């Protein structure tokens, strides 16, 4: 029995990509900290169990994280995938799930952690931008990198066009990372993730080609 928990706060397009990916899992639960997250309706359409744990009803970060951790433990999750979960997690939470907590971030980490990644990439004039799936450590948007996708930044890109092309790649690499994890193909030593998959020759960079 493999169990996946997907944590969302809003739109849920990465969650949807995981739900559409035909993953080899027996149980998926979607948890949102935001009762208005549009991703909740999408999850229900897929017939997936949804849970809302509204952070605004908890007095502080620690009590919210404790309730969230209890729900995840109750589901006996093998893997917890943060998919646009816009909450800073306490060290206690992160350490409790170390090695089975992953995140997707819209930049080529360690560049541009935090918010506004596409605007900052355009402002800096980078020529390559992308997205990263990584194991979560207490430092926000850091941690051992599992897979990245890189795309060229085009001369006429806006924040919106760049975000849209990167989101397509996010959907591909997140499903790939979860597949590897569930197939027990990821080995993490110190800050390095190796992938035991003979079908790929360049495991940590997913390069989709020059898609416009
Ligand atoms: C995605 O772009 C994801 O990478 C980003 O939020 C968006 C959520 O979209 N996550 C972060 O910035 C985390 N630091 P989605 O709800 O449609 O998946």
């Amino acid at each position: 029995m493999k169990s996946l928990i997907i944590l969302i706060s809003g739109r849920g397009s990465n969650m949807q990509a995981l739900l559409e990916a035909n993953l080899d899992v027996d149980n998926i639960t979607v948890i949102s900290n935001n009762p208005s997250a549009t991703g909740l309706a999408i999850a229900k359409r897929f017939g997936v169990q949804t849970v809302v744990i509204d952070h605004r009803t908890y007095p502080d970060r620690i009590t919210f994280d404790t309730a969230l951790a209890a729900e995840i433990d109750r589901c006996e999750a093998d893997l917890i995938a943060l998919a646009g979960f816009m909450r800073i997690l306490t060290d206690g939470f992160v350490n409790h799930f170390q090695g089975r907590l992953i995140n997707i971030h819209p930049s080529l980490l360690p560049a541009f952690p935090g918010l506004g990644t596409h605007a900052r990439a355009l402002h800096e004039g980078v020529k390559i931008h992308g997205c990263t799936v990584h194991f979560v450590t207490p430092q926000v948007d850091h941690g051992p990198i599992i897979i990245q996708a890189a795309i060229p930044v085009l001369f006429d890109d806006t924040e919106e066009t760049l975000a849209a092309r990167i989101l397509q790649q996010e959907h591909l690499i997140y499903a790939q990372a979860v597949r590897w994890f569930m197939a027990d193909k990821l080995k993490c030593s110190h800050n390095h993730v190796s992938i035991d998959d003979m079908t790929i020759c360049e495991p940590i960079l997913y390069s989709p080609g020059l898609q416009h």
Side-chain angles (χ1 to χ4, degrees):
M1 283 283 278
K2 295 262 183 190
S3 166
L4 170 67
I5 303 250
I6 307 172
L7 298 186
I8 64 167
S9 296
R11 180 177 57 181
S13 74
N14 276 290
M15 172 210 73
Q16 180 168 347
L18 293 179
L19 297 180
E20 286 171 346
N22 268 326
L23 299 167
D24 189 16
V25 294
D26 306 286
N27 254 314
I28 301 181
T29 304
V30 170
I31 303 179
S32 175
N33 65 304
N34 171 15
S36 317
T38 52
L40 285 169
I42 299 170
K44 283 183 187 139
R45 278 214 307 275
F46 278 79
V48 166
Q49 193 201 345
T50 60
V51 177
V52 173
I53 304 178
D54 186 346
H55 67 276
R56 291 166 306 184
T57 62
Y58 293 84
D60 53 36
R61 217 173 266 287
I62 290 186
T63 49
F64 169 73
D65 279 9
T66 304
L68 182 60
E71 180 63 25
I72 293 171
D73 283 340
R74 201 186 58 75
C75 298
E76 299 182 349
D78 293 287
L79 177 65
I80 304 109
L82 307 179
F85 188 67
M86 303 314 257
R87 296 273 309 163
I88 291 174
L89 295 163
T90 54
D91 290 6
F93 182 95
V94 171
N95 291 332
H96 182 68
F97 295 110
Q98 197 185 14
R100 53 193 179 108
L101 179 61
I102 62 175
N103 180 43
I104 185 144
H105 183 74
S107 77
L108 291 171
L109 291 173
F112 309 122
L115 299 174
T117 57
H118 307 311
R120 285 155 63 208
L122 288 172
H123 180 75
E124 294 296 339
V126 299
K127 302 300 181 216
I128 294 173
H129 188 37
C131 48
T132 304
V133 179
H134 63 99
F135 283 106
V136 176
T137 56
Q139 195 178 349
V140 175
D141 295 331
H142 279 76
I145 290 170
I146 299 168
I147 185 169
Q148 295 182 304
I151 63 163
V153 178
L154 306 176
F155 79 96
D156 56 352
D157 258 328
T158 62
E159 203 179 328
E160 289 72 30
T161 58
L162 196 51
R165 290 207 316 289
I166 287 176
L167 193 63
Q168 290 175 0
Q169 302 308 320
E170 291 186 38
H171 298 163
L172 297 176
I173 65 169
Y174 216 3
Q176 179 63 78
V178 172
R179 257 185 229 112
W180 279 332
F181 184 96
M182 289 301 184
D184 211 15
K185 288 184 182 300
L186 301 179
K187 299 283 172 280
C188 189
S189 168
H190 304 290
N191 199 36
H192 291 270
V193 178
S194 58
I195 297 152
D196 175 19
D197 188 341
M198 298 307 283
T199 65
I200 45 171
C201 48
E202 191 53 68
I204 60 161
L205 176 69
Y206 179 87
S207 183
L210 303 183
Q211 293 182 355
H212 292 201

